[in-house]
């Protein structure tokens, strides 16, 4: 059964918790208190809903992919998070946490970013709400997402390169946490996914569940708006999937599928499938499935998609997996790039590589989905990935 | 079974009877290589260290600044494992006879199993365990396992710690309290004073548990101030940097011997 909120220790079953340096613990407690209070305050909700409508552009449409539906023999719908301001679902969370930081009186914001989408969304919220902002980004990701780096700088944010470890999302989260250990008294850390110590996984889910709640109203079973049989979303840290799944979790008429990165192939060891092929452990402050070696050292993930290139996953996804509430599968870099081409040329929408993973699963499983109403959570647009896809195609 | 916690208690009692604090240098196990690191620890003991914190390297050390991060990365690259790190602990205990605390992060411990890990540490002769990302809220299974395995569990307080949290830490009955002297990750701070008095006073009001200051203490002057407020001082980054910068283990020992001697005389207040 899904949980309204984690228990008093911040646990979803055996997952979650707060494994953070003591210096941060009082701030996490304060954040939990401030969020609980704000979330129950109609004036906070009204201000957030107002910004989600006029600034973010919500609700995002549920669009029927007609040509691809015909081609695959399914009834395929796209939840258009790519149309949200800044081009991905990440903005739902950054505007929410930004308003909360303002309410808490913190003048400075930090964030980590992988693909750059969360960094851009944080920089955008910081400009909107008047915060000083710094974003940590792995040097490898800075290379493959140069456009997003420049966007953040245009928005007045400082992008700080992270050279430790693999120079990707995992290291950017660690670097942001280190900054926060030193700056916690005047800084709020806007974590970008349903990961991290309590209360982050719960709070980010609450800010993202607007996706699934809108979808319930849009595909409500009325004429021309069939209720979904299957909802598919990509899972890195897992915030877009959590957002679209959560309102449906426990509804046995809807099959929920999270798609992780199989990278170069599970058998090569170069992948990002923490749920499918990892084991429970503590990464970035929470107990969850993760990729680790025989010594409990964190392994580097691999994915062509910077947003899925992460060796951990949100603890509530781990709970859903073990409780059998959501299925998790994976697709490779090659399959994802193929799906990106397919959606671009068939529907006139270039998806983010993250979202292309979910579409690749749908095309691979199309025969078994025949005649079903399938919703793809199109978590972001693919402009940021165009150069990388061109390089991949050679 | 050797009682590591009793060894720590005896160390603090003997220092208190001499009217001084203890000096606990930190170094990552296996730096620059396993045999040399044992030599370096032995030299530091000869120079006046009362005990050691020996770091088992971890891939994602959230509480550590660039110097200790680099030390961990180097050690891992050279093949340090939990067992090889515990071999260093064993050799250091045999060579020096001083209490050794194993310092690492939660995940390597959970991955092996808390009792299995703590049992192996106790078997290597460790007196206690410090886990940088273990707050008191998650500590119960670790404290219980430490008790079962005859180890002293160490818990943290920080300048940000509230009164309510201080109570919880004291109530969990740690072997000593690791009091974080500065808000931030490990590293050397270029400042004349350390902020230890108020944290020490709030702990003293509640308990006579030994208080050891660490994080941001890098010079004899800073150590002297911290020692005036607490029962001990941990110096990490300033030691690790000298080992990282040295061309050889011999050079590191030549550099560290007078430095540790100065620190040891500083904690004598």
């Amino acid at each position: 059964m899904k949980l309204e909120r984690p228990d008093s220790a911040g646990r979803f079953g055996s997952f979650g918790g707060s494994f953070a340096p003591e210096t941060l613990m009082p701030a996490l407690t304060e954040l939990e208190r401030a969020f609980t209070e704000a979330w129950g305050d109609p004036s906070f909700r009204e201000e957030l809903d107002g910004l989600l409508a006029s600034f973010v552009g919500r609700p995002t449409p549920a669009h029927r992919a007609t040509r691809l539906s015909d081609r695959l023999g399914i009834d395929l719908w796209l939840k258009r998070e790519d149309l949200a301001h800044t081009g991905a679902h990440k903005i739902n969370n950054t505007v929410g946490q930004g308003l909360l930081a303002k309410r808490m009186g913190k003048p400075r914001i930090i964030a980590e970013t992988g693909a750059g989408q969360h960094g851009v969304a944080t920089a955008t919220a910081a400009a909107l709400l008047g915060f000083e902002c710094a974003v940590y980004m792995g040097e490898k990701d800075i290379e493959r997402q140069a456009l997003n780096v420049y966007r953040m700088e245009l928005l007045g944010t400082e992008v700080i390169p992270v050279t430790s470890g693999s120079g990707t999302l995992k290291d950017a989260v660690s670097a942001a946490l280190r900054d926060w250990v030193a700056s916690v008294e005047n800084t709020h850390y806007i974590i970008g996914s349903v990961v991290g110590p309590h209360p982050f996984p719960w709070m980010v889910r609450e800010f993202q569940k607007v996706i699934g709640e809108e979808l319930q109203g849009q595909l409500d079973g009325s004429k021309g708006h069939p209720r979904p049989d299957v909802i598919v979303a990509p899972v890195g840290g897992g915030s877009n999937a959590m957002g679209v799944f959560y309102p449906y979790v426990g509804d046995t008429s809807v099959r929920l599928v999270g798609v992780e990165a199989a990278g170069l192939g599970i058998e090569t060891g170069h992948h990002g499938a923490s749920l499918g092929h990892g084991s429970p452990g503590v990464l970035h402050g929470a107990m969850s499935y993760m990729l680790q070696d025989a010594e409990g050292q964190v392994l580097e993930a691999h994915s062509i998609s910077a947003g899925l290139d992460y060796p951990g996953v949100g603890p509530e996804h781990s709970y859903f997996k073990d409780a059998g509430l959501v299925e998790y599968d994976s697709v490779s870099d090659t399959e994802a790039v193929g799906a990106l081409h397919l959606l671009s040329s068939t529907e006139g929408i270039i998806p983010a590589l993250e979202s292309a993973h979910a579409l690749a699963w749908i095309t691979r499983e199309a025969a078994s989905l025949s005649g079903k109403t399938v919703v793809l959570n199109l978590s972001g647009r693919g402009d940021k990935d165009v150069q990388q896809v061109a390089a991949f195609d050679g | 079974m050797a009682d590591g916690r009793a060894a720590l208690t005896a160390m603090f009692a003997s220092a208190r009877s001499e009217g001084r604090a203890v000096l606990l240098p930190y170094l990552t196990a296996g730096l620059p290589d396993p045999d040399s690191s044992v030599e370096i620890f032995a030299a530091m003991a000869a120079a006046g260290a009362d005990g050691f914190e020996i770091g088992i390297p971890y891939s994602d050390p959230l509480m550590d600044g660039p110097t200790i991060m680099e030390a961990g990365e180097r050690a891992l690259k050279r093949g340090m494992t939990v067992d090889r790190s515990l071999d260093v602990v064993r050799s250091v205990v045999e060579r020096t006879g001083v209490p050794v605390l194993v310092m690492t992060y939660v995940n390597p411990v959970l991955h092996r199993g808390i009792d299995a890990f703590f049992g192996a540490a106790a078997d290597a002769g460790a007196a206690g365990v410090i886990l940088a990302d273990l707050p008191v809220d998650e500590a119960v299974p670790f404290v219980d396992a430490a008790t079962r395995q005859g180890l002293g569990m160490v818990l943290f307080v920080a300048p940000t710690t509230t009164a309510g949290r201080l109570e919880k830490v004291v109530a969990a009955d740690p072997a000593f309290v690791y009091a974080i002297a500065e808000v931030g990750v490990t590293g050397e701070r270029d400042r004349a004073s350390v902020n230890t008095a108020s944290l020490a006073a709030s702990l003293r009001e509640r308990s006579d548990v030994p208080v050891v200051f660490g994080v941001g203490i890098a010079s004899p002057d800073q150590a002297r101030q911290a020692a005036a407020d607490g029962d001990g001082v941990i110096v990490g980054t300033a030691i690790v940097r000298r080992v990282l910068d040295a061309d050889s283990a011999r050079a590191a020992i030549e550099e560290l011997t007078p430095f540790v001697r100065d620190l040891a005389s500083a904690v004598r207040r």
Side-chain angles (χ1 to χ4, degrees), chain B residues 19 85 95 102 117 133 146 152 170 193 222 247 250:
Chain B
S85 300
R95 274 286 286 279
V102 166
F117 191 107
D133 55 348
V170 168
S193 68
Q222 290 167 333
D247 295 333
R250 176 179 296 273

Side-chain angles (χ1 to χ4, degrees), chain A residues 6 10-17 193-198 200-202 237 242 275 281 283-289 312-322 328:
Chain A
R11 300 268 181 160
F12 303 92
S14 59
F15 299 105
S193 192
V194 287
V195 301
H198 178 65
F200 283 112
W202 166 56
M242 185 57 68
L275 287 161
L283 174 64
H284 295 145
M287 169 77 71
S288 196
Y289 279 88
V313 68
E316 197 168 11
H317 282 293
S318 293
Y319 172 72
F320 288 163
K321 173 190 154 84
D322 280 11
Y328 298 91

Side-chain angles (χ1 to χ4, degrees), chain B residues 40-136:
Chain B
I40 291 170
F41 281 112
M44 290 197 286
D50 296 285
F52 295 112
E53 212 188 312
I54 298 187
I56 298 184
Y58 177 56
S59 55
D60 289 75
L62 291 182
M63 189 55 207
D64 287 310
T67 305
I68 295 182
M69 275 170 70
E70 188 190 335
E73 279 182 24
R74 278 203 211 175
L76 286 173
K77 235 173 239 163
R78 289 176 196 171
M80 280 314 281
T81 59
V82 171
D83 286 330
R84 285 178 194 150
S85 300
L86 292 178
D87 286 342
V88 170
V89 170
R90 183 177 287 107
S91 303
V92 170
V93 172
E94 280 169 7
R95 274 286 286 279
T96 67
V98 301
V100 169
L101 293 133
V102 166
M103 143 81 209
T104 188
Y105 285 77
V106 164
N107 199 52
V109 176
L110 284 180
H111 196 67
R112 181 173 286 206
I114 304 175
D115 272 290
F117 191 107
F118 284 10
D123 185 58
V129 183
I130 304 175
L131 301 174
D133 55 348
L134 183 72
V136 66

